[in-house]
Amino acid sequence: MTLSTRRQAKRAARREARRALPLWRRLLPTWRVTLGTLTALLLLAVGGFAVLYVIVPVPDPNAHAVAQNNIYLYADGTTEIARTGAVNRTDVTIDQIPLQTQQAVVSAEDRTFYQNRGIDLKGMLRAGWNTLTGKGMQGGSTITQQYVKNYYLTQDRTIERKGRELLIALKVDQQRDKREILAGYLNSSYFGRGAYGIQSAAHAYYGVDVSRLTLGQGAYLASLLQAPSRYDVRTATPANREKAVARWNYALDGMVQLGFVTPADRAATAFPEPVDPQPATGLAGQAGYLVGVADDYLVSSGTLDAATLKAGGWRITTTFDKPRQDAFVKAVQEQLTGELDPRARPDTDTDVRVAGASVEPATGRVVAVYGGPDYAKQPYNDALRQDNQIGSTFKPIDLAAGLVAQHAPDGRPITTESRYDGTSERPVTGGPTPYAPPNEDDIDYGDITLRYAMVKSVNSVYAQEGVDAGLARVRETAVRLGIPDDVRGMDPANTSMTLGTATPSALDLAGAYAALADHGRAHTPWSVLELERVNPGGSVDVPKMPEHNPTEALDREIADSVTDVLRDVISPRGTGAAALDLGRPAAGKTGTTDSNLSAWFAGYTPELATTVGLFRENPKTHAKEPLAGTAGLTRINGGAFPTRIWTAYTAAALDGTPTQDFDLRTGRGTPDATPWPTATATAGTTPSATTTPTGGGPTSADPAPGTPPGHAPGTPATTPRPTATTGTTPSPQAPRPTADPEQPTPAPRPTQSQPTGPTALPSATGGPATNLATPPGAAP
């Protein structure tokens, strides 16, 4: 038998053996077919890659290498706010950049830079695996790839762009020296503050030439490359500051691992605080603040990344309403600025700052913000900062959480008419930490309802009610309403959380109150209507804008019950009495923090939710300073300037529009007919702290260290405690409360000069009208 015959016989035998197999097995390819197919595919892939490598050239620099202006417009689509976006870049050679700065960038962004061939397959696979396993979207791009993307391509997140990036990166790595690639990357990258390139970044953050950067400064600029806007520690939120410092440490630790610096030099390097950001040209007045809010929204919502936005060319139509924006500025100037006299009172009337935001409850649109008096003089957007405690403006969230809980731990229902012990410094029962907060002016209110406690902002009541509702539930309610979950001061492990240790921004707080106004439907505040860019070739980029569907934060009956209570705060007996001048149905809450470091009013009509915060800050150290003494007044409460600004602004913003009443469906806590409490204690007598409230009872506890916001210092122990005054329960369903002659009435507004007699203004955190011309705790 010949060789050919034997082969034919073997093939025939294999065919016969295969025919004898089951059908499903015959459908599977043999190992020879599988191996041949894989080999063919591999050869095809290699061949295709080789062809693409040859035909895909290294292109000319993209259009973003020469950035255009961004144009920001008011909501009418025609009135211009500002133009920004011109490139701030000065190219430098690699020899002008300190070696340690170069090494810090390599450590932070691509530790295989000096070894890889332009791409890092292991890094790409690792990033893909981490993304798939839920560790967050991660990138595996090398410095060469990032340089190619910034300089030659676009920021589009497409497979086609990524494929071109890989091919061009391989070519660039072959054609250029590593030092040249690193120089190109450092000259084209965006570092925040409008600075493109390492030279502009050195001036923007440290006011020095790039050649004078220290090890720590170079490492910080390297850390900015990952998130330039969020990691600017001079303007970042507390949470983002921590992330920025962690990234800085990561860069330095990598330098030690790579042998660039010694452990001793690393240990001796302290974090280098950058200088304050300098205002950009053309952003004077309110323009810079409005641009900041719009930019923050576009980046945080994922609509654009920071580099693409700053590259310019965008026409951005915002949600800001120019007449309302002007009204906000005018209200601050007339109600506060005109009352200040820095020359006569340089220690108290300087560095007074206002944070404000106004949101449409039904849509979440931001119609106006107040970030400061002039961006050219104060380049900090106070409307977005998250470092001021909000005090008693948090109490409506406590109440909402209690209504959600329905029952206190002892099984009794929590309604707006549940009764609690309002004795000042009454120890809180059941809290995770000992707590016995004082009421404003150390007033004892006795057995009162949650409604009355809100009207008078009684700390001892809401400290207990929040614990009864469950601190975890209180936190969850706050987050559902729109308070960011990463702001400080919302830790359920601290009982004092109930009285407003949280530090959301004015815009965050406006969004939360807007959810109450819209019957429990929460919108994330948004500030951009339209976005487009015309490219040099004539094509138009129109990114998809986020949808603005509301979430059901609270049941309508619960949200409306809170609104019903907050209407009574704006009454002659309430801490928000000054808002009665609005002449429209309104609801709101005052807030004053301990040591008088900040004062707030957050309120809404059916059409508009607005917050106003007041604080003082040292312009050099950025330390908070007490408001006491501002405008010649001993104490500044939320019921004073913040409420007056809110009222003046809201009146102007709604001028000419029909008056709307609240359409409330309250299902919890039917108001009872019990009169407002009559004080039973006399001067020199301390009422019992053992009155059993509905929803909580007292225990022995010591005040927590560092009294939280929402309280004013109590009177000395030798001073008899004042008691609550007598009044009549107003109808919570009445369109507007009527004056009660037995309750304190709103006093004349404070004037710039100190009046001859005492000037009374409503207290922001509890108690009757407070004599602001005398020390806290003194008799009216």
Side-chain angles (χ1 to χ4, degrees), residues 487-714:
V487 300
R488 296 186 175 181
M490 280 216 304
D491 185 0
N494 294 320
T495 309
S496 59
M497 182 188 79
T498 55
L499 298 186
T501 55
T503 59
S505 69
L507 184 56
D508 298 330
L509 188 60
Y513 271 65
L516 294 174
D518 197 32
H519 314 292
R521 292 173 297 207
H523 289 85
T524 300
W526 54 285
S527 54
V528 175
L529 288 168
E530 297 177 356
L531 179 68
E532 67 175 24
R533 178 177 61 188
V534 179
N535 296 313
S539 62
V540 180
D541 293 333
V542 184
K544 179 177 174 58
M545 299 298 295
E547 297 182 358
H548 307 293
N549 299 319
T551 60
E552 295 297 327
L554 294 173
D555 289 343
R556 175 167 182 162
E557 290 182 348
I558 292 175
D560 286 0
S561 294
V562 175
T563 295
D564 182 41
V565 171
L566 294 185
R567 290 195 306 169
D568 288 347
V569 174
I570 302 177
S571 69
R573 63 179 59 82
T575 59
L580 284 171
D581 289 346
L582 178 63
R584 288 173 177 260
K589 184 69 188 75
T590 53
T592 308
T593 62
D594 208 34
S595 300
N596 212 184
L597 294 181
S598 64
W600 290 83
F601 186 77
Y604 51 93
T605 65
E607 310 96 321
L608 204 58
T610 305
T611 56
V612 178
L614 189 68
F615 63 99
R616 290 184 67 228
E617 180 176 286
N618 186 298
K620 295 182 179 180
T621 65
H622 302 288
K624 296 297 187 301
E625 298 176 341
L627 288 166
T630 300
L633 303 175
T634 302
R635 184 170 59 202
I636 302 298
N637 294 320
F641 291 117
T643 305
R644 287 171 47 187
I645 293 169
W646 180 92
T647 304
Y649 161 72
T650 305
L654 299 180
D655 185 38
T657 65
T659 298
Q660 295 186 29
D661 204 349
F662 290 105
D663 177 21
L664 302 182
R665 301 178 191 171
T666 58
R668 302 181 188 277
T670 303
D672 60 18
T674 306
W676 292 75
T678 302
T680 57
T682 58
T685 303
T686 302
S688 171
T690 59
T691 302
T692 302
T694 298
T699 59
S700 176
D702 296 322
T707 310
H711 327 136

Side-chain angles (χ1 to χ4, degrees), residues 141-437:
S141 297
T142 62
I143 283 177
T144 307
Q145 287 175 258
Q146 294 180 61
Y147 167 55
V148 167
K149 179 179 67 174
N150 292 340
Y151 196 69
Y152 295 108
L153 302 176
T154 67
Q155 305 292 327
D156 296 339
R157 298 179 180 180
T158 63
I159 296 177
E160 187 269 342
R161 197 274 297 161
K162 192 67 176 180
R164 293 185 65 206
E165 175 187 304
L166 293 174
L167 293 169
I168 296 171
L170 288 170
K171 281 193 171 184
V172 167
D173 185 77
Q174 283 192 345
Q175 297 171 4
R176 299 188 182 179
D177 180 79
K178 289 286 187 181
R179 283 163 48 88
E180 185 181 357
I181 294 172
L182 185 58
Y185 173 66
L186 291 174
N187 282 322
S188 62
S189 294
Y190 180 63
F191 289 82
R193 297 192 181 184
Y196 283 86
I198 191 73
Q199 172 73 311
S200 297
H203 281 280
Y205 287 91
Y206 293 106
V208 299
D209 189 86
V210 64
S211 62
R212 298 174 57 193
L213 288 173
T214 65
L215 169 60
Q217 292 170 343
Y220 176 64
L221 295 184
S223 69
L224 286 170
L225 290 166
Q226 186 181 65
S229 297
R230 293 196 300 272
Y231 287 359
D232 186 345
V233 297
R234 302 303 281 181
T235 59
T237 65
N240 283 338
R241 179 185 172 88
E242 292 176 359
K243 294 177 182 177
V245 174
R247 184 69 177 174
W248 176 78
N249 283 313
Y250 170 82
L252 288 174
D253 292 340
M255 294 181 72
V256 174
Q257 294 174 12
L258 296 172
F260 294 148
V261 297
T262 65
D265 289 340
R266 162 68 180 95
T269 304
F271 183 78
E273 287 287 342
V275 299
D276 289 340
Q278 300 303 306
T281 305
L283 297 179
Q286 295 297 302
Y289 306 123
L290 300 182
V291 167
V293 172
D295 284 356
D296 182 76
Y297 168 72
L298 289 173
V299 174
S300 64
S301 66
T303 306
L304 294 177
D305 61 55
T308 302
L309 175 62
K310 291 297 183 182
W314 296 101
R315 182 182 178 88
I316 302 167
T317 304
T318 70
T319 61
F320 305 122
D321 181 84
K322 190 176 191 308
R324 289 178 173 178
Q325 182 63 37
D326 293 343
F328 217 145
V329 175
K330 183 178 180 181
V332 173
Q333 292 173 342
E334 291 184 348
Q335 302 300 321
L336 174 65
T337 308
E339 303 290 337
L340 302 178
D341 189 349
R343 292 185 179 180
R345 295 182 292 269
D347 294 333
T348 59
D349 283 16
T350 55
D351 308 320
V352 180
R353 302 169 73 148
V354 175
S358 189
V359 174
E360 286 183 351
T363 64
R365 290 172 46 156
V366 184
V367 298
V369 297
Y370 189 87
D374 185 348
Y375 189 79
K377 299 177 181 178
Q378 179 196 298
Y380 293 94
N381 196 333
D382 290 334
L384 297 179
R385 63 189 305 159
Q386 293 179 335
D387 60 351
N388 287 304
Q389 295 179 334
I390 61 172
S392 292
T393 59
F394 194 80
K395 287 174 182 172
I397 297 174
D398 294 327
L399 177 59
L403 299 181
V404 170
Q406 299 188 35
H407 293 86
D410 60 6
R412 284 173 287 185
I414 297 178
T415 73
T416 60
E417 309 310 315
S418 294
R419 306 190 73 84
Y420 275 76
D421 184 354
T423 302
S424 185
E425 298 187 67
R426 172 193 174 278
V428 174
T429 299
T433 55
Y435 194 37

